[in-house]
Amino acid sequence: MLVLIAAHAAVAALLPALAPRAGRAVWWVAALVPLATLVWAAALAPSVLDGDTPVEHFGWAPSLGLEVFLRLDALSLLMTGVISGVGAAVLVYGARYTSEGHGRESALLLAFAGVMLGLVTADNLLVLYVFWELTTVVSFLLIAGRGRTREHREAAQQALVVTTGGGLAMLLGFVMLGEAAGTYRISELVADPPDGGYVPAALVLVLVGVFTKSAQFPLHGWLPAAMVAPTTVSAYLHAAAMVKAGVYLTARLAPGFADTEPWRPLVLTVGLLSLVVGAWRALWESDLKRVLAYGTISELGLLIALFGYGTRDSALAGEVMLLAHATFKASLFLITGLVEHHTGTREIGRLSGLGRRRPVLLTLAALAAASMAGLPPLAGYLGHEAYLDTFWNAARNGPGAGEEWVLAALAAGSALTVTYAIRYLWGAFASLPGVEPTPQEDPGDRALGMAVPITALVAATLGLGVWYTGTEALTEPYAALLPSPQEPYHLALWHGPSPALLLSAAALAAGLLLYRLRPALSAVRDRSPRAPDAQGSYRQAVRGLDGAAAWLTRRTQVGSLPVYLTVLLATVLLVPGAALLLRDVPLPAPPLWNSAVQVPLAAVVLITALALAAARHRLAAALLAGAVGYGVAGLFLVQGAPDLALTQFLIETLTLVVIVLVLRGLPAELGARTGSRRVRRLRLAVATAAGALVAVLALAVSTVRREPAVSEFYTDHVEEAGAHNVVNAVIVDFRALDTLGEIAVLLVTAIGVGALIGVLGGRAATIRARPPAADRYEPTARWALPHEQWLPEARELPAHDRSLLLEILTRLLFPSVLVLSLYLLYSGHLRPGGGFAGGLVAGQAFTLRYLVGGRADSAFAVPLDPRLVAGGGLALAATAGLAPLAFGGEPLGGALVSVTLPVLGHLEATTTLVFDTGVYLLVTGVCLKLLSAVGPAQETPEEAAGKSGGTPDTPATATGSRA
């Protein structure tokens, strides 16, 4: 299972690179992966249906309870068949349907198939939630496309907001359920469900996520809006896969929680309301895809009601309807795409005469629509008969939970389904009186290629109905897990005269009659008061939220940094400070110093901090801030923390250089002091109190430790990591997951900061005043100007900005500093250093090169984007962390490698060095990114004009930047 999920991700990552050469063939390559998954599922089907449940497990962070369990049982097998079978058909269809963006679209659809496979096989609530949200992200990208139109962007945003909001509520419900049960394993949770306490509230929260994902009333508006997406997306995500996630979760939890209040009343109410309202809305849509979209909402409501009811027969009916819906609805969406391909439209009022000229397409559509309407011998008929029989008997012999109303709603929904099925067929293929036949394009080979997967899906819905014994063999194992209050129902095309058959016939007749009476119903509908529209309600809610955010922002974001800091520090004083006062915590009297060297260092820190508070010049303030940092680094060194001291020294140096670069675009003097004397005194009091609180908290924390220090564990096991430097071993081995998350955040932050600096710097350059000619620097001495090309990039600078001494020193020091950075990288496991420190040293080397030559990226032999360096580092670290899985190990684990070489002799290394190399590259790339963004953004108009060959009045642009 894990290999198949990884295969989906790996092939999806390769498709965009393959598309420029392979073109449409990438769709066929993508289709091979779900097809292979379908073959794998078919091979395992006999054993799984007999009760075998393969389980795959690996511990991500076992001490934190984060473990990945993948499990294949009968329900997962059913969903895997739907996801892979329909996915392969849609990808084959996309090869002829899609006209551009083959790599992007095929990759996203394949990635979605892999995410759905992970969702239906996950046996851990938190793992399921991760895949759940990944479906939301991928669907957002698929609906938005390339974001060319506002309609696409708004539809994608609505789907993202609604489903993510429901997913967050569901996550809270998962946590509550997991804590109540003492386990997050879904199989264990269902086998021994918790009850009482906050379990009912947790189930409500979980069902909120179900209803948003499966577009249930009144949270259904995002699904019709998403019909702006391509047909491939609608057929797969919105008919067979994404919207089925909520149905699957309902089915997964029903065996354990169907009898827990308020599960059954809630799923029946929402599901049946969606069944009727969705079918009713489908009658009045003129766009074929929106007809199918509202029909999907209706059928999803039916599935949630069937699975949520929680009996053996209702679950059996739900499984059959799930298979039927996936085949007939996906095929109808694909048929709609082919209709649009032939005619250029999906509007019912503009389509006429297509059935006569496309009889094969009409036949396929008629079979799919017949299955949707519940006609024999198709799969939809089996499902209709099963649920009508189930609830007829439940209404007569059930526990009295309103089964009569459920049966009535099911009958009404069935009749309306027949009506909109006829409307779809008639609107797409009939010859309308008074309307000229719709012009058609020459279909060519593309139409034939699109018709093949449609035929396969229609054949599947026919085969599932005719071969009902095989359908029951596939669906019975899951249904058998639920109680059966009556004689078990068995699938068949003919049960003889029965109430279910009469109800089916009545629903068919009522559906035909409703279609004939549709004009009269339309007049009544037009005169009746309209219910609130879901789309309008969503827009009003968004506008209200935006207005509330603007109101709050105007009153809280006053644009004053001192106000923000005062509020933050006051909050710290009130919350942790109050907690400290309420507890009787002993405060020991610490020694003033442990070493005489600490006294002058502490004096430097205190004196420079006081001077910093009184400084009025920006450059002086920057230098004093650096002095404070250097003093603190010295204290770290005295305390026996060389790694920490080294990192502090490097960060202070690099930060000081970046700050000085930024100061070039700011006034030399700090602004005037703001606020009255009383306000300044308040700020001084808050700052002093906050500092005292931090000192007191440090003392208090040192006295309340109950457990042994974790440092003992690290020192005892550091040699197992092949290291002598405990700090580096903690970073790349013991706490590698933390490091991976931190460098990912660092990369995202650097990209964001670089983008902001570029935007704000370019804007500032257009308004920066040009200095008077008398103030411009003109060199008086020419003898110090270099005549040789010591640095390639220096020749781009004006001659008077070059320095012979600095260029020679940089030429000599640059390779040495880079070698030092590599030494720190590769020796970090044994002595002070590591990837982070080495990357910072490399950043210092490139910073030196930038200060002398104006560019840092020219140091590479080939042009290299800093983002590629940083992104490659993150990819290398992540790959190194996941590589142990391929050898049966745990992720982010390490192994010692010992080799004997002819010349070098015996060498020992650890595989975590690869992870540390990724950290090194990422930190180096981030430094380059900041230099490439900060430098051009702070150029003066004269500097920019000198580089571009323009005049100083020309706005500065970052033409010299590769960022």
Side-chain angles (χ1 to χ4, degrees):
M1 288 174 276
L2 182 62
V3 172
L4 288 171
I5 296 171
H8 281 78
V11 176
L14 293 175
L15 290 178
L18 187 62
R21 294 185 178 181
R24 296 181 184 275
V26 295
W27 291 92
W28 295 91
V29 175
L32 292 175
V33 183
L35 191 60
T37 305
L38 185 63
V39 172
W40 168 81
L44 289 180
S47 61
V48 171
L49 296 178
D50 284 340
D52 186 23
T53 53
V55 177
E56 294 180 8
H57 162 256
F58 65 89
W60 181 258
S63 61
L64 300 177
L66 299 179
E67 298 179 279
V68 177
F69 287 92
L70 301 176
R71 183 172 180 266
L72 187 70
D73 61 2
L75 181 60
S76 299
L77 180 72
L78 183 75
M79 289 297 300
T80 299
V82 169
I83 293 164
S84 302
V86 178
V90 169
L91 287 168
V92 171
Y93 178 93
R96 295 298 179 183
Y97 172 81
T98 306
S99 58
E100 62 177 355
H102 300 293
R104 180 186 186 275
E105 299 302 314
S106 61
L108 286 174
L109 282 170
L110 180 60
F112 184 87
V115 171
M116 280 298 301
L117 179 62
L119 190 152
V120 300
T121 56
D123 193 32
N124 181 287
L125 290 175
L126 300 181
V127 175
L128 186 147
Y129 173 75
V130 170
F131 285 115
W132 184 283
E133 290 305 312
L134 285 175
T135 63
T136 298
V137 173
V138 180
S139 69
F140 170 81
L141 297 174
L142 285 168
I143 296 171
R146 298 182 183 273
R148 293 175 180 171
T149 68
R150 181 177 179 180
E151 188 179 13
H152 284 78
R153 294 192 297 270
E154 289 183 347
Q157 183 185 42
Q158 182 177 357
L160 180 70
V161 169
V162 174
T163 56
T164 301
L168 290 174
M170 186 185 73
L171 175 61
L172 178 58
F174 280 172
V175 172
M176 294 166 68
L177 281 179
E179 292 302 311
T183 179
Y184 285 85
R185 288 284 303 274
I186 300 176
S187 55
E188 296 175 359
L189 193 70
V190 173
D192 186 18
D195 56 1
Y198 46 75
V199 170
L203 292 178
V204 171
L205 292 171
V206 171
L207 289 175
V208 169
V210 167
F211 298 151
T212 55
K213 184 70 81 173
S214 291
Q216 293 299 280
F217 185 87
L219 304 169
H220 63 282
W222 68 267
L223 183 57
M227 291 301 105
V228 298
T231 295
T232 48
V233 177
S234 301
Y236 193 30
L237 274 67
H238 305 142
M242 175 183 173
V243 291
K244 291 291 198 316
V247 174
Y248 164 77
L249 186 56
T250 304
R252 176 60 70 196
L253 297 180
F257 298 100
D259 294 326
T260 303
E261 296 294 336
W263 174 280
R264 187 174 283 123
L266 193 55
V267 294
L268 289 177
T269 301
V270 174
L272 296 175
L273 187 62
S274 301
L275 168 66
V276 176
V277 172
W280 174 258
R281 286 294 304 271
L283 300 182
W284 314 107
E285 294 294 331
S286 59
D287 185 314
L288 290 177
K289 282 183 70 175
R290 289 179 66 88
V291 172
L292 296 177
Y294 278 105
T296 299
I297 294 169
S298 173
E299 287 141 359
L300 291 172
L302 170 65
L303 291 173
I304 285 179
L306 293 178
F307 282 114
Y309 187 67
T311 65
R312 182 262 180 198
D313 290 352
S314 68
L316 182 70
E319 289 181 278
V320 177
M321 286 303 302
L322 187 148
L323 289 171
H325 179 264
T327 51
F328 70 65
K329 188 55 67 72
S331 60
L332 287 173
F333 269 115
L334 297 182
I335 288 168
T336 302
L338 192 50
V339 168
E340 186 178 16
H341 170 71
H342 285 318
T343 63
T345 183
R346 300 192 308 255
E347 292 294 321
I348 289 178
R350 296 172 57 189
L351 290 168
S352 179
L354 185 63
R356 291 182 178 178
R357 286 173 288 177
R358 298 284 180 262
V360 175
L361 187 61
L362 172 61
T363 302
L364 294 174
L367 287 171
S371 182
M372 182 167 63
L375 298 181
L378 301 155
Y381 171 77
L382 293 180
H384 278 72
E385 288 285 292
Y387 70 71
L388 289 174
D389 182 87
T390 296
F391 283 95
W392 171 267
N393 290 309
R396 295 175 56 206
N397 307 313
E403 284 81 1
E404 298 85 356
W405 292 101
V406 174
L407 181 62
L410 292 174
S414 300
L416 290 171
T417 301
V418 173
T419 305
Y420 72 74
I422 299 172
R423 173 166 171 74
Y424 175 87
L425 277 179
W426 188 266
F429 297 98
S431 297
L432 303 181
V435 179
E436 293 293 327
T438 306
Q440 299 182 46
E441 300 176 0
D442 182 15
D445 294 336
R446 288 182 61 188
L448 179 61
M450 294 160 69
V452 170
I454 297 173
T455 304
L457 290 172
V458 173
T461 197
L462 178 61
L464 288 170
V466 173
W467 189 39
Y468 56 85
T469 55
T471 304
E472 182 166 10
L474 182 61
T475 55
E476 169 65 24
Y478 165 75
L481 300 175
L482 291 139
S484 180
Q486 57 210 23
E487 183 179 350
Y489 179 86
H490 294 283
L491 300 179
L493 288 175
W494 176 250
H495 289 93
S498 66
L501 181 63
L502 295 177
L503 287 172
S504 294
L508 178 61
L512 293 170
L513 180 62
L514 285 172
Y515 187 77
R516 292 293 301 270
L517 297 176
R518 186 175 172 277
L521 290 175
S522 178
V524 173
R525 174 177 172 269
D526 293 339
R527 291 193 298 268
S528 303
R530 295 292 181 89
D533 179 63
Q535 196 68 7
S537 301
Y538 168 78
R539 292 192 178 118
Q540 290 179 2
V542 170
R543 284 195 294 269
L545 184 61
D546 289 342
W551 179 88
L552 183 63
T553 301
R554 282 195 299 268
R555 284 156 179 80
T556 57
Q557 302 298 312
V558 295
S560 172
L561 183 59
V563 171
Y564 300 153
L565 290 174
T566 302
V567 172
L568 289 174
L569 292 177
T571 304
V572 171
L573 287 170
L574 291 175
V575 180
L580 186 63
L581 291 175
L582 294 175
R583 291 180 176 271
D584 185 16
V585 180
L587 297 177
L592 294 179
W593 60 78
N594 295 322
S595 171
V597 183
Q598 292 177 331
V599 177
L601 289 173
V604 168
V605 173
L606 293 174
I607 293 171
T608 51
L610 291 173
L612 175 60
R616 306 306 308 149
H617 195 278
R618 294 184 189 274
L619 181 58
L623 294 175
L624 289 170
V628 173
Y630 287 132
V632 173
L635 290 173
F636 290 154
L637 187 60
V638 172
Q639 287 295 110
D643 278 277
L644 192 56
L646 175 63
T647 304
Q648 180 76 13
F649 277 121
L650 295 172
I651 288 178
E652 288 296 337
T653 304
L654 191 61
T655 303
L656 184 60
V657 173
V658 173
I659 289 176
V660 171
L661 288 174
V662 173
L663 291 181
R664 298 175 63 198
L666 297 175
E669 299 292 331
L670 292 168
R673 296 182 183 274
T674 59
S676 63
R677 180 173 296 179
R678 179 179 300 176
V679 172
R680 291 199 296 271
R681 288 177 178 173
L682 173 64
R683 294 172 183 167
L684 177 61
V686 171
T688 304
L693 175 64
V694 171
V696 173
L697 283 175
L699 291 175
V701 168
S702 65
T703 63
V704 297
R705 175 174 288 158
R706 298 286 188 270
E707 301 295 333
V710 70
S711 58
E712 297 179 3
F713 171 83
Y714 293 146
T715 54
D716 292 341
H717 295 81
V718 65
E719 293 186 1
E720 297 178 10
H724 298 292
N725 183 358
V726 179
V727 174
N728 187 255
V730 170
I731 292 174
V732 301
D733 197 298
F734 296 117
R735 302 298 296 271
L737 178 61
D738 294 350
T739 303
L740 187 62
E742 289 163 2
I743 61 176
V745 171
L746 176 62
L747 176 59
V748 173
T749 304
I751 293 173
V753 170
L756 287 174
I757 290 175
V759 172
L760 298 178
R763 187 177 302 164
T766 63
I767 62 174
R768 189 180 292 126
R770 180 183 178 186
D775 294 338
R776 298 180 194 167
Y777 169 75
E778 292 293 341
T780 57
R782 300 286 180 177
W783 60 269
L785 300 181
H787 300 287
E788 300 293 335
Q789 183 179 320
W790 291 96
L791 295 176
E793 64 271 23
R795 62 183 178 181
E796 299 179 8
L797 297 178
H800 60 267
D801 283 347
R802 297 177 62 187
S803 169
L804 176 62
L805 179 61
L806 288 179
E807 285 187 24
I808 294 175
L809 287 176
T810 302
R811 177 71 176 267
L812 295 175
L813 291 178
F814 179 76
S816 302
V817 177
L818 283 184
V819 170
L820 175 62
S821 71
L822 293 174
Y823 170 79
L824 291 174
L825 165 64
Y826 292 116
S827 67
H829 237 46
L830 303 176
R831 52 187 61 87
F836 194 77
L840 288 174
V841 171
Q844 308 271 13
F846 289 111
T847 302
L848 178 63
R849 189 134 188 171
Y850 173 81
L851 292 175
V852 177
R855 286 175 57 187
D857 56 354
S858 61
F860 294 107
V862 294
L864 193 59
D865 194 320
R867 292 170 296 185
L868 293 178
V869 180
L874 181 62
L876 180 62
T879 303
L882 295 175
L885 291 174
F887 302 96
E890 294 184 352
L892 296 171
L896 289 174
V897 178
S898 180
V899 295
T900 302
L901 299 178
V903 178
L904 300 177
H906 185 70
L907 296 178
E908 287 187 356
T910 176
T911 56
T912 54
L913 183 61
V914 181
F915 181 89
D916 215 11
T917 304
V919 177
Y920 172 89
L921 291 175
L922 184 138
V923 174
T924 304
V926 166
C927 294
L928 285 169
K929 175 63 183 173
L930 292 179
L931 288 173
S932 64
V934 172
Q938 301 303 326
E939 289 176 348
T940 64
E942 283 72 20
E943 291 170 337
K947 288 186 178 182
S948 61
T951 63
D953 293 329
T954 304
T957 57
T959 56
S961 170
R962 295 182 184 272

